[in-house]
Amino acid sequence: MQNKRTNLVKLGIFTISGLLFLVLSLYLIGRNQQLFRSSIQVKTYFRHAGGVVPGNNVRYAGIQAGTVKSVKLINDTTIEFELLIDKEASKHILKNALASIGTEGLIGNRVVNLVPGIGVAEPIQEGDEIATKKTTDTDAILETLSVTNQNAAVLSSELVQTITRFNNSSALWTLLEDSSLAVSIKTSLGNIEQASVSTRQLTEELNQVIHDLKQERGLVQHLIYDTVMSGQLERTLAQLEQTSQQTVTMTQKVNDLITGVQNEIKEGKGPANAILSDTSMTGSLHRSLSNIEKSTATFNENMTALQHNFLFRGYFRKKEKKATKEKSN
Amino acid sequence: MEAAIIIQDLYKSFGSNHVLKGFNLELKRGENLAVLGKSGSGKSVLIKCIIGLMQQDEGEINVLGQSIRSLNQDELDHLRVKIGFLFQSNALYDSMTVRENLEFPLRRHWMEISNKETGDLVMESLENVGLAHTVDLMPAELSGGMRKRIALARTLILKPQIILYDEPTTGLDPITSKEISELMNELQKKYNTSSITISHDMNCIQRTADRVILLVDGIAYADGEFDQLKASTDPVILPYFE
Amino acid sequence: MRLPPNTKKFLEEAGAIAQFTGRFFREVFRPRYEWAAFIHQCYMIGYKSLPLVGLTGFIMGLVLTMQLRPSLIDYGVESELPAMVGIAIIREIGPVITALIFAGKIGSSIGAELGSMKVTEQIDAMEVSGTNPFKYLVVTRVLASTLMLPVLVLLGDAISLYGAYLGVNIKATTSFSLYYTQVFDNLSFGDVIPAFVKSFFFGFAIGIIGCFKGFNSSKGTEGVGHSANSSVVLGSLMVFILDLIAVQVTDILGLN
């Protein structure tokens, strides 16, 4: 009898622990799906559902704030989303918040992102409607990026040419012997330095963009939601191109100048020692040259990185193929 | 005195195998009847029909004044309390101790019996078969002869009026067979039961049976005392007594 | 109509099982109820199977995690390992592996036990002793295995998830709270409920097949061996067939 009773106890423990696990897991899941928490319901309208299904998460500034309750087609261009927002989170979400569709990670579930709007407003209430944010199509972004890339390629090859010319130019050294031109050359070099510094800055900005790109997660969202930024990118690259053109022009001018100087030297007028003894000038010359070199190197790196980024791998591969085709033709 | 069991025109077949073809039998109170027959002649089928484990195709079985066929499950269970059945393979429950084996029919049939009474009955039955010391053993720990005795004790624990023995000595050595046969006689006298013994063990039949029925080809071919049949010159009967 | 002997045999068997199942449902609701025997069977079938189920569950969780990791690293989503393992265990591995182990242990033991009881006339003896053997032996066992397998599956899942947690931690470090957050974040009721419900059917199928094979065992020790063997084979097969049906049904119900 005693034995039977212990058996009963064991059976009881066995069964209860099994059922406890069931209840616990159901509770944990339910908690994630906000079933046991009070929430308010708001609506938002999209032109395109983008694969969002009921149960997907709603994030406010990146924090879990609720779930999608339903996705309904209202008419040919409008889809109504009902969002369940946590009471707790709803206190901090203002009526001017903007909704957009995003992805958890690069290949994860779809999420509805809420971002704070500009200015001050009341917290959202039950039944409110949240405005949506215009987003850019990924294809459009890629197209812009391709133009940008072409520009960057041209720019970098020109930069390389420029520097080669700088390095190989014996005329430059001849020029250094002419003291009368020291001041104007100094000014010119100052300009070059400035230009190269700004080139470097621009490259760094570009670097930042590409760094974001490498971070994968940030990029798509950034580019999707931030057309301003892609515009900036384009502008940056345009500036870069301009700079390099200016550099070319400038180099030509320097060339002309040097030819002049050479002629002057032939006539035996040049006190070059004066310039050579001016150490500050030589230093700045050095700096500018190394700046230019550095920036080209970084740019090259960026381009390689861009090519290796898997998002753009396909694009570059296509490009390569095209190039080989053209070559073989 | 009325008869304990009356069987009239019993028919039973399995597919095309007609086992019983108009079998008749009458068991008087206090009588020990032996049914003799070859293996597969339908002896076991006969007693399984009597206890209601099998349904006859045709014919009438009347046990203690009740027709087996007309009983519902509850009535059949009540009747079965009065009939003991000793199985050929003992049918002791492997998963239970000897005590639990003996308690099983008690608990099942007389639900209102107290624990003390149950314990007393168990010990009484075990003492009847001389195995009181095995009460807490498992059937697997017992020898063949002991198991047969335990099975007999379990059969008798309900104090039945009729006992059906299905080949009680099969698989036992001659000495144990003799002991079992003697035990059967002893208990028959003690509780004044009627019995039907199914067997082909002539020694056992000789010791226990008042009357013998020879089952041949599905009918009661011959009916008489052991010595009577033994003396018969009928070529069908002769081989059984050789 | 003439049928090939094998087909006929198969159909006969299917019919007999269906009849047996029908008898189960008739008997299960009719008094009297064999409570004590039922509880005893729950103990024997449920509690006694836990060590085996726990061990296999633990190993499955561990191995699954270790096997999945390289592929996930290839796709650069190693951090999704707990989520993947959790879904695999809860939805499929847990119920099916547990049911198969259960079919092996319980199906064979029911088949062999009832088979030997049949062969040694213990079933007849019960009937003679005023006990409905179908109620006492079959109903209690089928009910116990129907009710105990889901509990075993749940506990097996829990142990398996713990095994997977250790597996995750072999080559990386994840805190337990992060692990279970990741596991349960990616689960939904649609994962847990169908898996839980189908384990009842698994348990029922294994119990009823074991009982059928044992109850209809042919005479002799060979018959007992055959009952034990065929109840495992048929039971395991039924687990997969039911699993197939379950996935279709959950799909139709939109729970996937």
Side-chain angles (χ1 to χ4, degrees):
Chain A
M1 269 296 118
Q2 190 59 47
N3 193 23
K4 273 193 180 149
R5 198 154 294 155
T6 35
N7 284 357
L8 264 184
V9 171
K10 283 180 193 165
L11 182 64
I13 293 170
F14 167 78
T15 313
I16 288 167
S17 51
L19 294 179
L20 265 184
F21 180 71
L22 176 70
V23 171
L24 192 76
S25 38
L26 290 184
Y27 170 73
L28 284 173
I29 293 165
R31 200 181 60 177
N32 287 332
Q33 298 192 349
Q34 322 291 316
L35 283 191
F36 306 123
R37 274 203 257 171
S38 52
S39 54
I40 63 164
Q41 197 172 315
V42 295
K43 283 178 187 169
T44 179
Y45 298 91
F46 285 96
R47 288 177 71 87
H48 191 280
V52 174
V53 290
N56 277 144
N57 289 325
V58 176
R59 298 259 162 92
Y60 177 73
I63 293 170
Q64 176 70 28
T67 50
V68 177
K69 191 191 171 202
S70 70
V71 178
K72 266 183 279 182
L73 194 61
I74 291 188
N75 59 42
D76 58 342
T77 53
T78 317
I79 293 154
E80 183 190 79
F81 283 40
E82 283 183 329
L83 310 177
L84 287 175
I85 307 289
D86 258 5
K87 268 243 168 83
E88 204 59 34
S90 71
K91 288 180 202 159
H92 310 291
I93 303 175
L94 305 181
K95 285 189 192 234
N96 62 5
L98 296 173
S100 60
I101 295 169
T103 313
E104 273 179 36
L106 205 57
I107 48 169
N109 291 326
R110 301 302 258 169
V111 289
V112 174
N113 282 306
L114 299 178
V115 289
I118 299 154
V120 186
E122 292 278 295
I124 50 164
Q125 304 278 323
E126 173 78 35
D128 273 355
E129 190 184 310
I130 291 179
T132 48
K133 198 174 171 181
K134 273 267 159 58
T135 57
T136 319
D137 195 33
T138 327
D139 287 342
I141 296 167
L142 283 175
E143 217 157 290
T144 317
L145 263 176
S146 108
V147 175
T148 314
N149 284 333
Q150 279 168 351
N151 289 346
V154 172
L155 183 72
S156 78
S157 75
E158 281 181 3
L159 257 174
V160 170
Q161 274 174 15
T162 312
I163 288 153
T164 322
R165 266 159 108 173
F166 256 87
N167 283 346
N168 295 345
S169 170
S170 59
L172 188 68
W173 294 104
T174 328
L175 166 77
L176 292 180
E177 282 163 25
D178 191 347
S179 66
S180 71
L181 291 169
V183 182
S184 78
I185 288 174
K186 212 173 177 178
T187 325
S188 308
L189 284 172
N191 284 343
I192 291 176
E193 190 184 353
Q194 224 170 4
S196 67
V197 167
S198 74
T199 308
R200 194 178 166 197
Q201 268 170 359
L202 290 172
T203 327
E204 262 164 359
E205 269 176 46
L206 194 62
N207 192 14
Q208 187 58 43
V209 171
I210 287 155
H211 179 71
D212 283 349
L213 200 74
K214 274 165 119 180
Q215 291 289 312
E216 291 170 24
R217 173 188 281 266
L219 159 81
V220 175
Q221 288 182 344
H222 251 94
L223 288 187
I224 290 173
Y225 308 132
D226 208 337
T227 38
V228 181
M229 170 109 171
S230 71
Q232 262 177 3
L233 194 69
E234 228 172 339
R235 266 206 305 284
T236 309
L237 289 163
Q239 277 174 359
L240 210 61
E241 204 176 35
Q242 219 179 342
T243 315
S244 81
Q245 272 166 359
Q246 278 172 357
T247 319
V248 172
T249 326
M250 196 179 70
T251 328
Q252 269 168 354
K253 276 184 186 165
V254 172
N255 247 350
D256 290 347
L257 193 77
I258 286 164
T259 329
V261 170
Q262 270 176 332
N263 290 337
E264 274 177 28
I265 289 170
K266 271 179 195 163
E267 285 160 27
K269 279 179 198 171
N273 287 337
I275 309 171
L276 285 174
S277 62
D278 187 346
T279 47
S280 76
M281 196 195 99
T282 330
S284 81
L285 191 68
H286 262 280
R287 267 204 305 284
S288 358
L289 284 173
S290 77
N291 274 343
I292 290 173
E293 244 167 283
K294 249 191 245 169
S295 54
T296 355
T298 336
F299 193 80
N300 273 349
E301 248 171 55
N302 290 338
M303 287 312 291
T304 336
L306 200 64
Q307 279 177 358
H308 284 291
N309 185 293
F310 83 100
L311 241 193
F312 297 99
R313 205 184 283 158
Y315 165 74
F316 278 106
R317 221 172 260 160
K318 246 186 245 164
K319 208 175 153 190
E320 220 169 79
K321 251 185 221 164
K322 216 174 168 186
T324 21
K325 227 187 210 172
E326 275 167 10
K327 227 184 225 172
S328 62
N329 284 346
Chain B
M1 197 178 192
E2 67 167 307
I5 299 175
I6 300 165
I7 296 174
Q8 287 170 330
D9 277 335
L10 191 66
Y11 283 86
K12 175 75 186 172
S13 16
F14 299 96
S16 57
N17 180 17
H18 304 287
V19 181
L20 295 174
K21 297 180 264 189
F23 185 84
N24 290 298
L25 179 150
E26 189 178 328
L27 177 71
K28 295 187 188 71
R29 297 227 174 199
E31 186 185 29
N32 293 320
L33 180 70
V35 176
L36 185 62
K38 286 189 283 192
S39 297
S41 59
K43 296 170 294 178
S44 288
V45 174
L46 172 68
I47 55 170
K48 283 190 175 160
C49 286
I50 294 173
I51 196 98
L53 283 174
M54 284 182 188
Q55 283 264 313
Q56 69 267 38
D57 296 337
E58 264 175 66
E60 179 65 28
I61 300 176
N62 192 305
V63 179
L64 300 170
Q66 287 176 294
S67 171
I68 294 287
R69 220 179 192 176
S70 65
L71 300 178
N72 64 25
Q73 190 63 45
D74 274 355
E75 289 165 335
L76 188 60
D77 280 343
H78 276 105
L79 182 62
R80 279 170 176 169
V81 177
K82 298 171 192 162
I83 311 172
F85 195 113
L86 183 69
F87 287 90
Q88 181 179 353
S89 51
N90 304 327
L92 294 177
Y93 307 122
D94 299 321
S95 55
M96 304 180 193
T97 63
V98 169
R99 185 198 299 281
E100 286 165 339
N101 261 290
L102 289 165
E103 281 173 353
F104 192 86
L106 284 178
R107 294 196 186 283
R108 292 281 143 183
H109 279 303
W110 301 343
M111 301 299 271
E112 66 279 8
I113 197 168
S114 79
N115 278 344
K116 189 176 177 304
E117 279 174 293
T118 308
D120 290 347
L121 275 169
V122 167
M123 288 323 286
E124 185 196 326
S125 303
L126 282 176
E127 273 155 23
N128 279 338
V129 298
L131 286 173
H133 59 283
T134 63
V135 68
D136 289 319
L137 296 179
M138 299 299 284
E141 298 171 278
L142 304 173
S143 71
M146 285 160 103
R147 260 182 264 170
K148 186 62 81 182
R149 286 169 189 234
I150 301 291
L152 190 54
R154 188 179 69 184
T155 308
L156 290 165
I157 200 165
L158 291 170
K159 309 257 165 50
Q161 298 172 25
I162 302 168
I163 303 177
L164 306 173
Y165 295 100
D166 189 358
E167 314 239 5
T169 57
T170 302
L172 300 175
D173 59 90
I175 299 166
T176 317
S177 295
K178 190 173 163 234
E179 281 171 10
I180 296 290
S181 306
E182 280 161 3
L183 191 62
M184 284 162 65
N185 279 334
E186 197 183 301
L187 294 170
Q188 199 269 330
K189 280 189 194 92
K190 187 168 176 180
Y191 295 111
N192 190 30
T193 56
S194 325
S195 72
I196 296 179
T197 306
I198 301 257
S199 187
H200 47 242
D201 176 358
M202 299 315 291
N203 292 324
C204 172
I205 289 174
Q206 191 171 14
R207 280 192 194 95
T208 57
D210 303 324
R211 188 158 63 98
V212 178
I213 287 179
L214 193 61
L215 175 60
V216 179
D217 292 334
I219 55 158
Y221 184 82
D223 182 347
E225 282 176 28
F226 186 84
D227 295 333
Q228 230 178 318
L229 289 180
K230 197 175 182 183
S232 165
T233 52
D234 188 322
V236 179
I237 301 172
L238 261 176
Y240 290 92
F241 292 89
E242 271 168 3
Chain C
M1 194 173 65
R2 278 255 168 125
L3 290 168
N6 278 340
T7 316
K8 199 180 169 206
K9 215 175 138 195
F10 172 77
L11 291 176
E12 262 175 17
E13 175 117 346
I17 292 177
Q19 198 180 28
F20 193 77
T21 312
R23 189 171 167 199
F24 168 80
F25 282 111
R26 270 201 309 281
E27 301 268 8
V28 73
F29 296 113
R30 250 189 238 163
R32 69 204 207 198
Y33 305 112
E34 305 281 1
W35 282 111
F38 168 67
I39 298 293
H40 180 68
Q41 286 306 321
C42 284
Y43 176 74
M44 297 303 288
I45 288 175
Y47 182 81
K48 294 271 185 180
S49 304
L50 184 58
L52 188 66
V53 165
L55 183 67
T56 46
F58 179 80
I59 293 172
M60 273 318 291
L62 191 65
V63 169
L64 190 68
T65 314
M66 292 166 75
Q67 298 273 39
L68 270 175
R69 187 198 299 277
S71 314
L72 290 189
I73 287 175
D74 280 354
Y75 288 104
V77 285
E78 196 193 353
S79 61
E80 296 291 311
L81 191 54
M84 277 205 76
V85 172
I87 285 177
I89 288 173
I90 299 283
R91 286 187 76 120
E92 192 62 25
I93 308 281
V96 170
I97 293 287
T98 308
L100 288 180
I101 293 289
F102 190 81
K105 185 178 189 293
I106 299 303
S108 66
S109 92
I110 291 179
E113 192 186 5
L114 293 196
S116 69
M117 287 184 84
K118 169 82 176 178
V119 167
T120 59
E121 299 177 301
Q122 291 175 50
I123 291 177
D124 284 344
M126 279 192 177
E127 179 140 24
V128 171
S129 300
T131 301
N132 181 340
F134 199 92
K135 272 187 186 305
Y136 190 81
L137 299 172
V138 175
V139 171
T140 54
R141 278 168 175 75
V142 174
L143 275 185
S145 70
T146 308
L147 296 178
M148 287 300 110
L149 182 60
V151 178
L152 280 171
V153 167
L154 289 170
L155 290 173
D157 283 351
I159 294 167
S160 209
L161 286 176
Y162 185 71
Y165 166 67
L166 294 185
V168 168
N169 267 302
I170 287 177
K171 289 202 177 139
T173 315
T174 306
S175 74
F176 192 70
S177 66
L178 175 63
Y179 173 75
Y180 86 65
T181 309
Q182 277 182 302
V183 168
F184 288 105
D185 266 3
N186 288 282
L187 285 174
S188 64
F189 291 128
D191 298 321
V192 177
I193 302 290
F196 184 63
V197 170
K198 76 181 173 188
S199 57
F200 281 96
F201 287 93
F202 291 168
F204 180 77
I206 292 165
I208 203 108
I209 286 167
C211 287
F212 171 78
K213 290 288 181 183
F215 216 68
N216 294 293
S217 175
S218 53
K219 289 266 178 191
T221 42
E222 201 192 335
V224 176
H226 183 254
S227 320
N229 180 272
S230 56
S231 50
V232 174
V233 173
L234 196 58
S236 311
L237 187 65
M238 273 315 285
V239 167
F240 284 110
I241 292 172
L242 285 173
D243 199 36
L244 182 67
I245 295 171
V247 80
Q248 307 284 350
V249 170
T250 42
D251 212 32
I252 290 166
L253 295 178
L255 286 169
N256 261 349

